[in-house]
Amino acid sequence: MLKLFQPAPPIERLPNEQIDSEYKKHRIQVFIGIFIGYAAYYLLRKNFSLAMPYLTDQGFSKGELGLALSAVSIAYGISKFVMGTVSDRSNSRIFLPAGLILSAIICLLMGFVPFFTSSIAIMFIMLFINGWFQGMGWPPSGRVLVHWFSVSERGGKTAIWNVAHNVGGGIMAPIAVGGASLFAIILGTHSNGYEGVFILPALVAIVIALISYILIRDTPQSVGLPPIEEYRNDYPSKEKKTFETELTTKEILFKYVLNNKWVWAIAIANIFVYFVRYGVLDWAPTYLSEEKGFNMDKSSVAYFLFEWAGIPGTLLCGYISDKLFKGRRGPAGFVFMLGVLIAVLVYWFNPPGNPMIDMISLIAIGFLIYGPVMLIGLQALDFVPKKAAGTAAGLTGLFGYLGGTVTANALMGYIVDYAGWNAGFILLTASCVLAAIVFAITWNVRGQEVVKQ
């Protein structure tokens, strides 16, 4: 591993009278650092979608551009696992900004150098590399969360942090469109300025990467503070162990992750959760247009409401898992997936001509589905030692993106083509049920009680 990425070493502990004030200050600043840092990753993940209409004017087909776009999800799913193993042995303060800057460089190359958008093959390669660097965002954020926030508060804090992707995804479009308008002015009437879709978000992301570097600290011990469990007297087990030893890659993979039945359970659950999430979200405009008579304006509003409804839903889900279920994530996930099931059935069986019910159903699905998405990542942190958090989260992400997202896009499309929308909704309904069942299996598991001592 590069020396640059090595975990920050512990330093001499501060005097007792300084610990409380320093802990409070650092917890706020590291949380802000990972929140804005992870939100900035979303400035660079979907901006190619906004460039696609401009690229079709240059002669590329929608099918070709869709193929290029798939490279991001494929690479991200693999990278989230692979880079998670690297992140667990790295300094989060360096790792998160580094991935963001590398992703920004790819976007700058696609914006400034025409060669990198000259063919589908080249765009696929560039977007694959970008997706790989995108995998460097979640794992270090998870490492920071488990080191700076204890088990009984981690649900609420992770839920708040998790809405960073809604915030980043929400502000990406106006920044990218603003970049296109700006570069159209700069380059003159001969250009539509699509380069700005890549360039302006990348420049903003680099600035945020530098701010995140200033704010983030790897572990409490690296700034002279005690472990979070000791500070809050909130230990994951009766033995009051804190799992502070740095682990080798072999230990992380074969002792704590790959032979952990609970990690495998939530990884499988993630397939079904992501299938529902993207099976509803990605196909909503088409379904509403073909089956419910929505025009594009109404469909876009429904799409927007689905995404932003996830913010309060995620926060509520994290709060419930902490306060009502005392750190057990399974019950909250089960309840929310039952709610998703009901909303999907209403969305499916509501006859055309009742657009308000369709809107409410989509809002309900968005409100409810992002809680389980967050909980699976949180359970991945709960079920392994702090030093293996990134790898566990990466494994669940690998299953979610490759098994859930790709299936929701490819399989759902073919099923609907050959058997109609009813068949597609049968798959969505079954996925809701299966996800709820897996959450129920983890019903009584709390915090890090299952971690091998």
Side-chain angles (χ1 to χ4, degrees):
M1 185 194 305
L2 293 175
K3 186 175 182 180
L4 174 68
F5 290 119
Q6 288 182 350
I11 64 172
E12 184 178 352
R13 184 173 292 196
L14 296 172
N16 288 337
E17 61 270 17
Q18 296 182 26
I19 287 177
D20 187 56
S21 60
E22 286 297 305
Y23 230 119
K24 289 177 179 176
K25 181 188 76 173
H26 279 93
R27 272 158 58 96
I28 292 172
Q29 78 172 53
V30 299
F31 188 85
I32 293 173
I34 61 172
F35 187 94
I36 64 172
Y38 193 63
Y41 271 84
Y42 274 81
L43 299 180
L44 308 174
R45 190 173 302 179
K46 295 290 187 179
N47 50 347
F48 182 78
S49 297
L50 294 180
M52 287 168 60
Y54 302 110
L55 292 169
T56 57
D57 292 340
Q58 297 186 8
F60 296 107
S61 71
K62 293 181 179 64
E64 290 173 331
L65 293 172
L67 176 63
L69 181 61
S70 69
V72 177
S73 293
I74 295 170
Y76 180 74
I78 300 171
S79 173
K80 193 174 179 182
F81 176 58
V82 175
M83 299 309 283
T85 65
V86 179
S87 171
D88 281 329
R89 297 175 293 113
S90 299
N91 185 338
S92 298
R93 185 187 186 191
I94 305 292
F95 200 84
L96 186 149
L100 187 53
I101 290 173
L102 289 169
S103 184
I105 290 172
I106 297 299
C107 287
L108 289 174
L109 288 173
M110 294 183 74
F112 280 119
V113 183
F115 171 77
F116 292 113
T117 54
S118 62
S119 73
I120 294 299
I122 292 170
M123 286 189 283
F124 185 95
I125 292 170
M126 294 298 287
L127 291 171
F128 188 93
I129 297 171
N130 184 39
W132 190 268
F133 291 144
Q134 286 282 313
M136 296 175 68
W138 209 110
S141 299
R143 177 180 171 92
V144 168
L145 285 166
V146 296
H147 279 89
W148 286 94
F149 301 95
S150 61
V151 169
S152 66
E153 62 177 344
R154 200 175 291 158
K157 296 300 188 294
T158 303
I160 296 171
W161 168 79
N162 198 70
V163 303
H165 80 263
N166 298 91
V167 174
I171 65 174
M172 179 276 294
I175 291 175
V177 172
S181 300
L182 178 62
F183 275 81
I185 295 172
I186 293 173
L187 297 175
T189 56
H190 66 281
S191 173
N192 54 28
Y194 84 90
E195 298 91 346
V197 167
F198 299 108
I199 296 170
L200 188 58
L203 294 176
V204 173
I206 290 172
V207 172
I208 294 176
L210 296 176
I211 297 173
S212 293
Y213 172 78
I214 294 170
L215 294 174
I216 295 173
R217 297 294 183 272
D218 190 35
T219 65
Q221 295 91 318
S222 68
V223 290
L225 297 170
I228 185 62
E229 296 86 355
E230 179 183 334
Y231 171 66
R232 298 193 77 246
N233 192 28
D234 183 14
Y235 291 88
S237 65
K238 294 179 180 179
E239 291 79 11
K240 294 189 174 183
K241 292 190 176 183
T242 57
F243 309 109
E244 293 299 331
T245 305
E246 297 289 346
L247 304 172
T248 65
T249 300
K250 182 178 179 180
E251 287 176 318
I252 291 170
L253 285 172
F254 297 105
K255 186 176 181 180
Y256 293 109
V257 176
L258 295 182
N259 70 340
N260 188 324
K261 64 180 181 181
W262 300 111
V263 173
W264 283 107
I266 60 172
I268 292 171
N270 212 26
I271 295 174
F272 304 123
V273 171
Y274 267 67
F275 184 85
V276 176
R277 174 186 175 184
Y278 287 105
V280 173
L281 179 64
D282 288 351
W283 291 101
T286 305
Y287 173 69
L288 291 172
S289 173
E290 292 183 358
E291 297 294 312
K292 301 298 181 75
F294 275 50
N295 58 30
M296 187 54 66
D297 289 340
K298 282 187 178 180
S299 296
S300 63
V301 170
Y303 191 97
F304 170 82
L305 292 174
F306 179 97
E307 279 284 0
W308 282 79
I311 295 177
T314 301
L315 297 177
L316 177 63
C317 190
Y319 179 84
I320 288 174
S321 75
D322 272 350
K323 303 301 181 182
L324 183 61
F325 297 114
K326 309 301 181 184
R328 291 181 295 127
R329 320 303 177 188
F334 177 80
V335 170
F336 269 61
M337 285 310 303
L338 285 185
V340 174
L341 172 62
I342 294 170
V344 167
L345 291 174
V346 173
Y347 182 54
W348 177 13
F349 289 114
N350 176 47
N354 301 293
M356 186 57 65
I357 295 177
D358 288 318
M359 288 280 197
I360 293 172
S361 300
L362 273 175
I363 292 171
I365 296 170
F367 179 88
L368 293 163
I369 194 65
Y370 283 103
V373 169
M374 178 275 299
L375 285 179
I376 287 175
L378 178 56
Q379 285 181 303
L381 305 182
D382 282 345
F383 293 163
V384 297
K386 293 191 290 186
K387 307 301 183 180
T391 303
L395 181 65
T396 64
L398 175 68
F399 274 60
Y401 274 88
L402 296 188
T405 306
V406 174
T407 303
N409 290 330
L411 180 62
M412 187 77 169
Y414 281 112
I415 290 292
V416 171
D417 274 343
Y418 287 102
W421 284 106
N422 284 342
F425 272 93
I426 290 173
L427 286 178
L428 290 173
T429 302
S431 295
C432 290
V433 173
L434 291 170
I437 290 173
V438 180
F439 274 117
I441 291 172
T442 68
W443 188 280
N444 291 317
V445 183
R446 176 191 178 271
Q448 296 204 314
E449 291 174 348
V450 299
V451 175
K452 293 183 178 181
Q453 305 297 318

